[in-house]
Amino acid sequence: MSTGDVTGRVAAVTGGNGFLGSAIVAALSAAGWRIRLLARGALDHPVLSGIALQQVSGDLADAAAVAELVRDADLVVHAAGLVKARTRQHFLAVNRDGTARLAEAVKRLPRPPRFILISSQAAREPSLSDYAASKRLGEAAAEAVLAGRPCMVLRPCVIYGPWDREGRALLRLAGSRIAPAVRAPEPRIAMIHVRDAAAAVAAAASGGPEVGVFEICDERADGYGWRELLRRLGEANGRVPRAVAVPDLLIRAAGSANELLALAGGPPAMFGAGKAREILHRDWSADPARRLSAALWQPRIALTEGLAETVAWARSRRGVPRSR
């Protein structure tokens, strides 16, 4: 695919009604792509307001809708995926099987488009959780189906920013007097603002490598310690919570209890046994060997700036209490 002007070319996107997906749509539209989205319901995400969109009604389980989505596309960005589910099979049905179904539809096209799979840094450690395993298997499925064709995998580190509804629980810690912290040695956690992640996708869409696995993060590839993140969150809200070390065993027990509640009929939980193991993994720094070329993309939003914006957004929706 040419790395020149993309104006008028068709970008087929899944997951465009979500947190990262909507930011990707905005970034691609600003770059000149015509956007075609796969979605079951109304395209009502506020970030999509004012963007000209063509919708294909359906989901990844609908082979006809998937084929219509990718027809004549110059670019396919697969950003859809489950981040919480009751069972491993629910994760696999979407994150592995849905990815394979989309890749098969792309494979059947006479002119292969550039294909970008939005995975997760968690895929680096598939033994930690069903979510991580499903993302790794989704990568493997796409690479196997599209062998010899364009297939680029982007693994964002921890994404944050406005409209991250699943992340508001962490943001509420910014208004707390006391906050839990993982015992030493502290995990190293690489971060990336949602608009920077979307900008990386837009850059990769029109240039750079067509194959390979890449991790994207902000300027701190070595990541941040848990206490530093708590301090920065608190500073964004006007008061730094006191960090209290919590034993690993207690974090694991809390995750398991939450998961049992979901299996007993409650809603799928973001925090379960698998997520506890992810939280306790000590190295979520970015892999320098998987970095995108600085000539192609560089992060622009520093953590201090990004957290201040995110806390202001969450507070405007009463997701973070004001400090007193």
Side-chain angles (χ1 to χ4, degrees):
M1 180 177 173
S2 168
T3 59
D5 185 18
V6 300
T7 302
R9 295 190 177 193
V10 175
V13 182
T14 70
N17 222 12
F19 170 47
L20 175 58
S22 61
I24 290 172
V25 169
L28 291 174
S29 178
W33 293 92
R34 289 168 47 212
I35 310 297
R36 184 187 298 155
L37 292 185
L38 179 69
R40 288 189 300 269
L43 298 175
D44 54 2
H45 197 291
V47 173
L48 302 180
S49 178
I51 299 175
L53 302 169
Q54 176 191 354
Q55 179 178 356
V56 175
S57 295
D59 58 26
L60 292 168
D62 184 339
V66 170
E68 177 60 23
L69 173 74
V70 303
R71 179 181 55 83
D72 298 330
D74 300 285
L75 166 71
V76 175
V77 177
H78 182 30
L82 279 185
V83 296
K84 57 183 179 180
R86 285 192 180 89
T87 69
R88 180 182 181 90
Q89 286 308 312
H90 287 132
F91 275 125
L92 292 176
V94 176
N95 296 344
R96 180 194 63 186
D97 302 342
T99 300
R101 196 171 293 111
L102 179 64
E104 289 285 0
V106 168
K107 180 181 179 179
R108 289 192 288 269
L109 296 174
R111 182 175 60 88
R114 185 182 288 262
F115 184 93
I116 300 176
L117 170 60
I118 310 303
S119 185
S120 167
Q121 191 188 28
R124 197 170 75 187
E125 301 291 343
S127 64
L128 290 178
S129 67
D130 291 340
Y131 167 73
S134 70
K135 296 302 282 187
R136 182 65 167 268
L137 290 169
E139 293 179 4
E143 290 167 344
V145 170
L146 295 173
R149 294 173 174 83
C151 181
M152 182 188 201
V153 176
L154 285 181
R155 291 176 177 171
C157 295
V158 175
I159 308 171
Y160 71 99
W163 300 107
D164 181 12
R165 296 183 175 94
E166 297 294 345
R168 281 189 291 185
L170 178 60
L171 286 173
R172 280 193 284 272
L173 291 176
S176 304
R177 294 186 180 277
I178 298 175
V182 178
R183 282 188 169 178
E186 278 195 309
R188 301 299 300 177
I189 306 166
M191 307 285 289
I192 186 166
H193 191 280
V194 65
R195 288 198 304 277
D196 268 345
V201 176
S206 56
E210 292 190 333
V211 297
V213 179
F214 302 88
E215 294 185 4
I216 51 176
C217 69
D218 67 12
E219 75 277 7
R220 287 271 298 271
D222 63 328
Y224 306 85
W226 186 257
R227 285 169 177 77
E228 181 181 1
L229 286 174
L230 285 176
R231 175 177 60 78
R232 287 172 174 256
L233 277 166
E235 289 171 348
N237 193 47
R239 180 182 63 208
V240 178
R242 181 166 67 89
V244 176
V246 177
D248 290 13
L249 183 61
L250 185 58
I251 294 173
R252 289 194 178 96
S256 296
N258 223 31
E259 191 166 295
L260 286 172
L261 287 174
L263 289 173
M270 176 66 79
F271 178 63
K275 186 57 67 177
R277 288 191 294 272
E278 290 178 24
I279 289 171
L280 294 172
H281 183 68
R282 263 44 184 192
D283 184 14
W284 290 118
S285 60
D287 184 350
R290 296 191 182 278
R291 184 178 303 168
L292 284 173
S293 163
L296 178 65
W297 170 83
Q298 296 184 64
R300 303 292 182 192
I301 303 173
L303 186 67
T304 299
E305 173 192 349
L307 287 179
E309 178 192 10
T310 307
V311 168
W313 167 81
R315 184 184 292 159
S316 73
R317 284 154 183 81
R318 300 182 181 181
V320 175
R322 291 182 180 274
S323 61
R324 289 185 174 86

